[in-house]
Amino acid sequence: MKIYFAASIRGGGIDPETCRELLNHLRGYGRVFTEHICDEAADLDGDWGPDWDIYERDIRWLESADVVVAEVSLPSLGVGYEIGKAEEWGKPILCLYCTNSPRKLSAMINGNENLTVKKYGDLSEALVLIDDFLKHSPP
Amino acid sequence: MKIYFAASIRGGGIDPETCRELLNHLRGYGRVFTEHICDEAADLDGDWGPDWDIYERDIRWLESADVVVAEVSLPSLGVGYEIGKAEEWGKPILCLYCTNSPRKLSAMINGNENLTVKKYGDLSEALVLIDDFLKHSPP
């Protein structure tokens, strides 16, 4: 299974430890395209290449993914954009929102019945939600 | 001209005064669907209805818009989502980013050649960028 994992980087930056735990768990199901995401979230000032290269790489990965798993506890233009594109392309999308988030989840995500939106309290709950979702996703 | 104006609400909340100035300027070009946006950004705890109603209303407006103008200085899942959908639907999209923003703009926006991304220092520059864009947009 090819998985596109999306999380806030420049929009606030997912906690690197949470990011790595989610990423490692997803790896148990197949190839995760966006393995660099935890490093970028931990080092916003690093040299990650020109934005058009990042865009071209990520959009190709998104196109070829079987499923999308998005951490949506923090606001993010990139994650929202990727969810919108992936929905148009008919991909199954799991959105994970931590109930401890300081931000209320966008109505465009929370009110959208085309997405699977699940809320978790601690990380172990998030991992179970991933299991439930990926066990029922093709291929 | 039917204009969909998108800005961060729950993701951080665009400054209400900036929001109103942009909105008033856009009104000079036609109907702006999302007139409520400044009120919502100013009152995040207000009762704006269930999320699925907000989603259904906004997605219908987005579908019927001729152009999209998005303020992207703050991170926002909703704004990112709307840009992704509108791009898929072939709509002209202007993204306005304030150079005073505390956040670096997402590579999925800044590196995307399908969007018109423009940077402004003060509000008067943003209004000129809107004029330049809308004068060349159909209908």
Side-chain angles (χ1 to χ4, degrees):
Chain A
M1 188 186 297
K2 290 174 289 180
I3 303 165
Y4 191 96
F5 175 46
S8 175
I9 302 177
R10 297 181 189 175
I14 183 173
D15 167 60
E17 192 51 40
T18 302
C19 191
R20 282 192 195 94
E21 294 264 6
L22 292 171
L23 184 60
N24 285 336
H25 195 70
L26 290 170
R27 280 192 183 119
Y29 286 91
R31 181 173 174 204
V32 184
F33 286 120
T34 42
E35 294 200 321
H36 62 286
I37 200 169
C38 304
D39 297 328
E40 289 190 30
D43 181 12
L44 289 180
D45 295 324
D47 180 11
W48 303 101
D51 282 350
W52 52 89
D53 283 355
I54 296 174
Y55 177 81
E56 290 297 333
R57 176 199 67 192
D58 286 6
I59 208 75
R60 273 200 309 272
W61 277 339
L62 187 62
E63 268 182 318
S64 62
D66 300 309
V67 296
V68 174
V69 175
E71 215 292 340
V72 295
S73 307
L74 292 170
S76 166
L77 286 160
V79 174
Y81 175 84
E82 289 158 353
I83 291 171
K85 299 287 277 191
E87 183 192 332
E88 281 294 305
W89 297 339
K91 299 189 190 286
I93 305 168
L94 172 64
C95 295
L96 292 170
Y97 175 80
C98 181
T99 52
N100 295 329
S101 168
R103 300 285 182 200
K104 200 171 161 189
L105 183 57
S106 168
M108 302 311 284
I109 306 300
N110 201 39
N112 182 346
E113 292 186 351
N114 300 319
L115 312 176
T116 302
V117 179
K118 296 287 181 184
K119 299 176 186 180
Y120 67 95
D122 61 33
L123 199 57
S124 63
E125 287 174 44
L127 304 187
V128 172
L129 291 168
I130 288 173
D131 291 340
D132 288 347
F133 183 75
L134 291 185
K135 281 174 185 159
H136 299 100
S137 291
Chain B
M1 188 186 297
K2 291 174 288 180
I3 303 164
Y4 191 96
F5 176 47
S8 175
I9 302 175
R10 298 181 189 176
I14 182 174
D15 167 60
E17 193 50 41
T18 303
C19 191
R20 282 193 196 95
E21 295 263 7
L22 293 171
L23 184 59
N24 285 337
H25 195 70
L26 291 170
R27 279 193 183 119
Y29 286 91
R31 181 173 174 203
V32 184
F33 286 120
T34 42
E35 294 201 320
H36 62 288
I37 200 168
C38 304
D39 297 327
E40 288 189 30
D43 181 13
L44 290 180
D45 295 324
D47 180 11
W48 302 102
D51 281 351
W52 51 90
D53 283 355
I54 296 174
Y55 177 80
E56 290 297 332
R57 177 198 66 192
D58 286 6
I59 208 76
R60 274 200 309 271
W61 277 339
L62 187 62
E63 268 182 317
S64 62
D66 300 308
V67 296
V68 175
V69 176
E71 215 292 340
V72 295
S73 307
L74 292 171
S76 165
L77 285 160
V79 174
Y81 175 84
E82 289 158 354
I83 292 171
K85 299 287 277 190
E87 183 191 332
E88 281 294 305
W89 297 340
K91 299 188 190 289
I93 304 167
L94 172 64
C95 296
L96 292 169
Y97 175 80
C98 181
T99 51
N100 296 328
S101 168
R103 300 286 181 198
K104 200 170 160 188
L105 183 57
S106 168
M108 302 312 284
I109 306 300
N110 201 39
N112 182 347
E113 293 186 350
N114 300 319
L115 312 175
T116 302
V117 179
K118 297 287 181 185
K119 298 177 185 180
Y120 67 95
D122 60 32
L123 200 56
S124 63
E125 288 175 44
L127 304 186
V128 172
L129 292 168
I130 288 173
D131 291 339
D132 288 346
F133 183 74
L134 292 184
K135 281 175 184 159
H136 300 99
S137 292

